[in-house]
Amino acid sequence: MPLPRSKIRPKSKAKAKLPHTSDFRDADNLLKACREDNLGSVSALQALVLLAIRPDCPEQLYERTLDLLMFLLEPQRAITTESASRALVVTLSFMSIQGITILFEEQSEERQQKAVARISRSWPGIWAWVQFLFKEVVSSLEQAMDFRMKTCKTVVCFLDVMSSHEHLRSLLSSNKAVVSMMLSIWALGADAPLFHYRSLGIFVARPFLTAFRDLLSGPRFDYDEYIISPMGSVNSIVKTALKYAREELSQSPVDPRDACACISVLHALSDHEPFLYESLAQNAVGVASQLLYQVASVPANSDRDEVVFAIHEISRYLAFAADTIDGSTWVLQAVEAQLLPTLLKASRWLPRSLLPQHEVYLCLLTEILPKYLVYISIIRAVTKAIAVVEHLGLEDSLDRASDLWKAWASFKDYASSRVEAKDGLERSLMEVFCSNKQCPRGANAGNLRAYMRCGSCNRAQYCSKDCQKYHWTSGGHKASCRLWEAPQRGQGPSPLSMQDTTYLVKVAQRDLRTRAQEIVDARKAQRLKVPLVIIDYRFHPFKLSVCPLSSVTDNGDPLPSQWDRMLQSASGYGPYAVIYRAIVPAGQNGRRYTGGFIRIGPELEVEEVVEGTEWVKDDVTDLQKRFEEIGVTQESID
């Protein structure tokens, strides 16, 4: 959904002030003077460019001016010029790049095509001078700040003009060094306040962002060589990106173009996983959610196209983050940053029908957030967010016939049903296994409330202190506990906690009750004694499948850690035993599991029996061998 070019022009861009001249009689003398490399060449070049941009300028003079600019940007001039006149040559080259920018803008299509042809032929020399100016002027502390600022602005505006034309943009996209330069200007803007908005402005231009993304996602792009090494580290680059975003949050009102630019850069970099996870670990989704709220709150007389475009771009980033590994953590951060009130508040800028143009925005309510309502921590955050929505009266402003209202009403009803399961959690009579696989109780489960939990990870559970001690010293929990302990202390992504696991079992059993007839029918059709019911919460609505026990490792799924005990126990529960497994969303590339077994009686009543809480990878993948080891044959179970 690209915007018109006039809508996305960086605020900092301004044309150079040139002296006034009134006719073309001196054109030949000006062209000659520009080639003499003396002080008169500077004023001559200014006057010549001013003549060339006039609508009544003869086409021949326009073309000769372009040729002159390309001559002044020949790379050998810097090599052959004597050191005494080097400063003058640099100044003329700086003015030539500025002149190309001016001659390209606001010209007829025919003239622009001529400029494109000349720039394409002379691109190596032009780019060499652009790099030289950035290195020797913009990045040099020896140059006067005013000249550094002007040069930086010229480079940024030139690249912005380049990005506005498809063919010229391809020159940028094929040059990996462009990324290094632009990110260096971007980093310079964060460290030097005077450079801030001038360096950020280029990223507001949608065409450049498109070229930027195309280049980063291209084949064989070396992030270490072109981005990480020149700028220090992944951590420092992400900090710079979030520094820009957080500074935008302090603006009142926020500029939608700059807010959009901040998130767009983060999104573009996130194609490289180290940048993605580093940004998420630094609460990028929380910052993005706050920026979205600020954009939605801008005055009503703001440019609608700019606001809508920013809403769309930030929504894309949030949806992208929510489906990465450990998406539950990032969804929780977004909800705690008031994403729900923000989505409703932003609706005033959007049309009644959000499809298909705003499908990603709507998807947050219809697909992404609902599927994560199997986490009790997210349920609590959503409950608070809904209270904020009601307090602010945001529902009253929604069009009851709009797509957003339908999505919101459905989401709210679904969240309410999940809250009911949460409210019944403390009244649970569920029985659980001891986490110690060598527990003397074996397959005999005990009541959840009678078990103690590991104080560090809050995940493992034990029937006695002896089992806890054995599991720590000989059962492998010492190593696994440390993997879970740091996130519990807020030092990393939040894991699937013990409380989340318990809640998930309640949710799964609640959902099994609603589909009991389907399970019984499938069991009869497949002639299964003890079926395996898989509930896949990675989709909304969830998917349920009934299959043989041998399907437990289909699609690379690991065996549950309590598998042996559940098989032995299920074999003694007669014809009504059902083993179930819940696959829990943890992002697009991640899965978590919980489960246990239940009984579905002849009247379709569902009785909770046992909860299996720790589903981990198992070295044994041969199910038939496992069945034989524990004395259970496939025939007697399936």
Side-chain angles (χ1 to χ4, degrees):
M1 189 174 59
L3 291 177
R5 188 72 183 167
S6 59
K7 298 294 185 183
I8 52 178
R9 183 73 60 204
K11 295 181 298 180
S12 61
K13 181 176 291 188
K15 294 183 179 179
K17 294 182 180 179
L18 300 176
H20 178 71
T21 186
S22 58
D23 55 47
F24 303 100
R25 288 176 296 180
D26 294 331
D28 289 337
N29 292 332
L30 293 174
L31 286 165
K32 182 179 179 181
C34 291
R35 294 174 177 266
E36 294 179 355
D37 290 343
N38 54 39
L39 292 179
S41 301
V42 175
S43 58
L45 183 58
Q46 288 178 322
L48 186 63
V49 170
L50 183 59
L51 285 175
I53 64 173
R54 285 172 49 172
D56 58 341
C57 174
E59 291 300 318
Q60 185 180 15
L61 177 57
Y62 181 82
E63 294 175 10
R64 292 177 68 189
T65 304
L66 284 175
D67 290 338
L68 173 68
L69 296 177
M70 303 309 157
F71 165 76
L72 295 175
L73 290 172
E74 290 180 355
Q76 60 265 29
R77 281 170 54 80
I79 299 173
T80 59
T81 304
E82 297 179 0
S83 58
S85 60
R86 178 66 60 85
L88 178 61
V89 172
V90 170
T91 301
L92 289 173
S93 300
F94 159 77
M95 293 177 61
S96 297
I97 292 174
Q98 192 178 59
I100 292 174
T101 305
I102 295 172
L103 287 178
F104 192 85
E105 288 188 301
E106 300 179 11
Q107 297 294 310
S108 66
E109 184 176 349
E110 182 181 355
R111 285 191 173 185
Q112 285 193 353
Q113 290 301 325
K114 291 179 179 179
V116 167
R118 290 298 289 113
I119 292 172
S120 299
R121 291 199 298 270
S122 304
W123 172 245
I126 296 172
W127 176 244
W129 271 108
V130 170
Q131 287 182 301
F132 178 86
L133 290 173
F134 175 72
K135 180 179 179 181
E136 301 297 331
V137 180
V138 178
S139 302
S140 175
L141 297 178
E142 298 178 359
Q143 300 288 344
M145 178 58 75
D146 182 61
F147 187 45
R148 293 177 65 197
M149 287 283 292
K150 289 180 179 178
T151 306
C152 181
K153 180 179 176 181
T154 296
V155 170
V156 166
C157 291
F158 171 74
L159 292 176
D160 184 25
V161 165
M162 290 283 293
S163 69
S164 67
H165 191 279
E166 183 177 356
H167 178 70
L168 296 181
R169 188 165 66 246
S170 67
L171 296 178
L172 296 179
S173 299
S174 62
N175 192 337
K176 297 176 181 179
V178 173
V179 172
S180 296
M181 175 180 293
M182 291 312 306
L183 287 178
S184 296
I185 295 176
W186 176 67
L188 183 63
D191 295 333
L194 289 175
F195 280 99
H196 180 88
Y197 286 105
R198 288 174 173 81
S199 61
L200 181 62
I202 185 65
F203 290 105
V204 180
R206 174 70 177 180
F208 181 80
L209 279 171
T210 301
F212 183 66
R213 288 173 176 147
D214 290 347
L215 184 55
L216 293 184
S217 61
R220 299 184 299 277
F221 182 82
D222 192 330
Y223 280 84
D224 288 331
E225 179 180 356
Y226 292 101
I227 296 182
I228 299 174
S229 295
M231 298 188 64
S233 66
V234 170
N235 179 270
S236 63
I237 296 171
V238 170
K239 282 185 176 179
T240 299
L242 290 176
K243 181 177 181 180
Y244 272 115
R246 291 188 174 103
E247 286 183 1
E248 287 304 316
L249 285 174
S250 65
Q251 305 301 312
S252 182
V254 69
D255 188 303
R257 296 173 299 178
D258 289 342
C260 176
C262 292
I263 300 303
S264 294
V265 173
L266 267 177
H267 197 175
L269 288 172
S270 294
D271 286 338
H272 190 47
E273 286 191 351
F275 286 112
L276 170 63
Y277 298 128
E278 182 65 33
S279 64
L280 294 177
Q282 294 189 33
N283 195 27
V285 291
V287 174
S289 300
Q290 295 173 51
L291 271 176
L292 183 58
Y293 183 86
Q294 295 280 42
V295 169
S297 304
V298 296
N301 61 353
S302 300
D303 189 302
R304 177 174 292 273
D305 288 340
E306 291 177 357
V307 175
V308 170
F309 185 68
I311 290 173
H312 178 75
E313 285 294 287
I314 299 174
S315 298
R316 284 181 66 241
Y317 177 73
L318 290 172
F320 171 74
D323 267 340
T324 57
I325 291 179
D326 203 42
S328 57
T329 298
W330 322 131
V331 168
L332 178 60
Q333 289 180 1
V335 174
E336 289 179 337
Q338 300 305 322
L339 176 60
L340 287 177
T342 297
L343 291 175
L344 270 59
K345 190 175 182 66
S347 66
R348 69 190 180 107
W349 295 99
L350 303 175
R352 172 182 288 188
S353 176
L354 297 177
L355 297 177
Q357 295 90 340
H358 303 285
E359 185 175 3
V360 173
Y361 173 88
L362 197 63
C363 180
L364 289 168
L365 274 179
T366 58
E367 296 181 23
I368 294 175
L369 293 178
K371 74 180 181 182
Y372 283 105
L373 290 179
V374 291
Y375 290 89
I376 197 168
S377 52
I378 294 178
I379 279 285
R380 289 170 176 159
V382 165
T383 302
K384 293 179 181 178
I386 291 176
V388 172
V389 168
E390 294 174 348
H391 175 72
L392 296 176
L394 294 175
E395 291 181 345
D396 299 336
S397 62
L398 294 182
D399 181 350
R400 295 301 193 267
S402 67
D403 292 338
L404 183 60
W405 169 257
K406 297 173 186 176
W408 171 250
S410 176
F411 173 80
K412 194 175 177 181
D413 289 343
Y414 187 71
S416 177
S417 68
R418 291 314 193 202
V419 170
E420 290 180 14
K422 178 184 76 69
D423 292 341
L425 181 61
E426 295 303 323
R427 299 188 296 273
S428 173
L429 297 177
M430 283 186 295
E431 293 182 317
V432 297
F433 292 126
C434 179
S435 293
N436 174 26
K437 292 185 179 182
Q438 304 301 320
C439 176
R441 297 169 61 94
N444 297 319
N447 187 275
L448 171 66
R449 296 179 181 176
Y451 279 60
M452 29 183 194
R453 297 175 184 171
C454 173
S456 296
C457 68
N458 194 34
R459 185 170 182 264
Q461 57 197 13
Y462 304 100
C463 63
S464 67
K465 289 186 177 180
D466 289 339
C467 278
Q468 183 177 16
K469 182 177 180 180
Y470 180 85
H471 196 215
W472 179 264
T473 57
S474 305
H477 185 60
K478 183 176 182 179
S480 61
C481 181
R482 290 175 179 172
L483 298 177
W484 291 84
E485 179 183 6
Q488 290 282 7
R489 293 181 176 178
Q491 300 172 0
S494 300
L496 180 60
S497 68
M498 188 68 224
Q499 193 174 30
D500 278 319
T501 307
T502 307
Y503 172 71
L504 281 165
V505 172
K506 293 292 290 184
V507 169
Q509 291 174 350
R510 180 188 181 93
D511 292 337
L512 286 170
R513 286 184 174 90
T514 66
R515 307 278 287 271
Q517 184 65 63
E518 179 182 339
I519 295 170
V520 170
D521 292 345
R523 180 185 206 166
K524 290 180 180 179
Q526 298 182 56
R527 305 178 66 181
L528 301 175
K529 248 185 185 179
V530 180
L532 173 68
V533 178
I534 297 177
I535 313 172
D536 197 337
Y537 288 110
R538 292 172 298 167
F539 306 91
H540 179 72
F542 67 87
K543 296 182 178 181
L544 184 144
S545 58
V546 181
C547 46
L549 294 178
S550 57
S551 301
V552 70
T553 56
D554 286 355
N555 303 316
D557 294 338
L559 279 174
S561 61
Q562 312 290 353
W563 184 243
D564 297 355
R565 298 176 183 178
M566 282 191 287
L567 285 176
Q568 291 174 331
S569 299
S571 62
Y573 269 88
Y576 304 125
V578 172
I579 293 179
Y580 69 91
R581 171 177 235 186
I583 304 178
V584 189
Q588 185 176 12
N589 300 315
R591 288 176 267 192
R592 293 167 176 161
Y593 305 88
T594 189
F597 72 88
I598 59 175
R599 287 194 299 186
I600 301 181
E603 302 299 325
L604 299 182
E605 69 273 14
V606 178
E607 174 189 350
E608 61 182 63
V609 181
V610 177
E611 175 209 2
T613 60
E614 191 175 4
W615 297 67
V616 296
K617 288 186 178 180
D618 198 300
D619 292 335
V620 179
T621 57
D622 188 338
L623 290 181
Q624 186 61 42
K625 181 179 180 181
R626 174 58 63 88
F627 291 148
E628 293 172 357
E629 289 176 351
I630 63 178
V632 178
T633 65
Q634 276 286 83
E635 289 73 19
S636 66
I637 295 294
D638 290 349

